[in-house]
Structures are given as structure tokens and as C-alpha cells.
Amino acid sequence: NFTNKIWNASRYVLMNLMDEAEPPDPINLNVPEKWILSGLNRTIREVTGHLEDNEHGLAAQKLYDFAWSEFCDWYIELSKGDLFDGTGERKAQARAVLHTVLSSLLRLLHPFMPFLTETIYRCLPGNEEASCMLSRWPEADERFDFPEEERQMAGVMDMIRSIRARR
């Protein structure tokens, strides 16, 4: 199920990318974009720390939680508004965030799922000749640490979950 989730999320991102995306602009990010990039930074730090401590199970669990719950279940759905109804600038920013998160996620997942991540990574614009295995390990970027937006999104997500449960 997890492999299928990653495959389908990657297809969605690839379907919406044009050319090689520019990095996200920290100034023009909306709250969901800040939330997912901040979550990516947190995940990079945690996974890297767990792998350095030979805690492979914990690293895999952190990746699973981020990929399944945050990226696939929430952010991909939130990005659809900008991609389908946004201005040109909003679409470009959403594409940049999707590209950044997927590229980093594939590199983080590579030690656990090498065949899948290698196949998808080579499909990303700009990576046709590159190998995921030989690419740089993701590093957290302090420009994308947004603890306040993470708290805001946690509140919004809790409210949505409550409404769904109430139905």
C-alpha cells in the first residue's frame, strides 16, 4: 500500500511539473507550503539522526508518517487549488514546492526502497541522467523552518478531522 501511495503521489507531481522547477521562494509561500517545507526539514533532521544512530526502524517510521500523512494525504490535496485555479505565480510556487518535497523524499526513502525511488527520481525534470543513489543526501534548510505555520496547520487539520468524525 505504501509503495502504491508513493507511486501515485509521484505521478501526480510529475503530471503537474513542466520543466525543472526553480527552488521555492521563501517570501511568497502560503501557509500550507510553509507547513510542508517545515515538516520536510523536521523529517530530514529526524531521519538523518536515526540513520546515524543505526535506528533504521525509527527512520523508516518517520519517513512513512511524513510521506503518507503529511505529503500524500494533506499537502497534495491542498496543492490542487493553486495548481488548477491559481495565478501563474501561485502555480509556479506550488510546482516548486512539490518538486522540492518529492525530490527530497525520494532521496530519503532510497535506502529503504531503492528500485522504486530510482525509477521515479530519474523521471523528475533535470534528473534524467542522474542517479538517486549518487545524489546528495537532503539537508534541512533553515529558511524553511516555520514552527508557527506548523502549529496553525495542526489546528486546521484537527478541526477538519473533528468535522469528518462528527459526520
Side-chain angles (χ1 to χ4, degrees), residues 102-153:
L102 180 60
S103 177
S104 295
L105 183 59
L106 291 173
R107 288 179 281 147
L108 290 168
L109 284 168
H110 191 73
F112 303 97
M113 309 170 77
F115 299 110
L116 177 74
T117 55
E118 188 69 37
T119 301
I120 298 169
Y121 189 79
R122 287 181 184 241
C123 292
L124 284 172
N127 292 348
E128 294 82 2
E129 301 298 322
S131 171
C132 186
M133 181 174 60
L134 300 175
S135 63
R136 288 189 67 198
W137 185 255
E139 294 180 9
D141 185 342
E142 291 181 7
R143 297 176 307 152
F144 298 124
D145 284 332
F146 301 104
E148 180 58 35
E149 284 75 3
E150 283 196 76
R151 282 190 291 280
Q152 287 176 0
M153 281 300 297

Side-chain angles (χ1 to χ4, degrees), residues 1 14 35 45 52 68-69 73 81 83 92 97 104 106 124 137-138 145:
N1 288 340
L14 291 168
W35 165 75
R45 289 181 184 111
E52 287 172 351
W68 189 288
S69 300
D73 284 354
L83 287 175
V97 171
S104 295
L106 291 173
L124 284 172
W137 185 255
D145 284 332

Side-chain angles (χ1 to χ4, degrees), residues 31-40 66 70-71 75 97 101:
V31 172
E33 291 165 345
K34 289 179 179 180
W35 165 75
I36 196 67
L37 289 169
S38 191
L40 175 64
F66 175 77
E70 295 179 43
F71 184 59
Y75 183 69
V97 171
V101 175

Side-chain angles (χ1 to χ4, degrees), residues 2-23:
F2 182 68
T3 302
N4 193 48
K5 190 86 155 173
I6 296 299
W7 183 262
N8 286 332
S10 299
R11 285 182 49 222
Y12 168 79
V13 173
L14 291 168
M15 178 177 66
N16 286 292
L17 292 179
M18 303 296 186
D19 297 324
E20 190 170 355
E22 294 292 321

Side-chain angles (χ1 to χ4, degrees), residues 44-110:
I44 290 169
R45 289 181 184 111
E46 290 174 349
V47 169
T48 302
H50 288 313
L51 289 176
E52 287 172 351
D53 295 338
N54 288 319
E55 297 171 331
H56 301 118
L58 292 174
Q61 186 63 52
K62 293 293 181 185
L63 280 168
Y64 177 89
D65 293 342
F66 175 77
W68 189 288
S69 300
E70 295 179 43
F71 184 59
C72 294
D73 284 354
W74 285 98
Y75 183 69
I76 284 183
E77 290 302 318
L78 293 169
S79 73
K80 290 179 180 177
D82 285 334
L83 287 175
F84 301 137
D85 297 325
T87 64
E89 185 177 306
R90 287 295 330 132
K91 288 179 184 182
Q93 187 76 328
R95 286 183 184 115
V97 171
L98 285 166
H99 184 275
T100 298
V101 175
L102 180 60
S103 177
S104 295
L105 183 59
L106 291 173
R107 288 179 281 147
L108 290 168
L109 284 168
H110 191 73

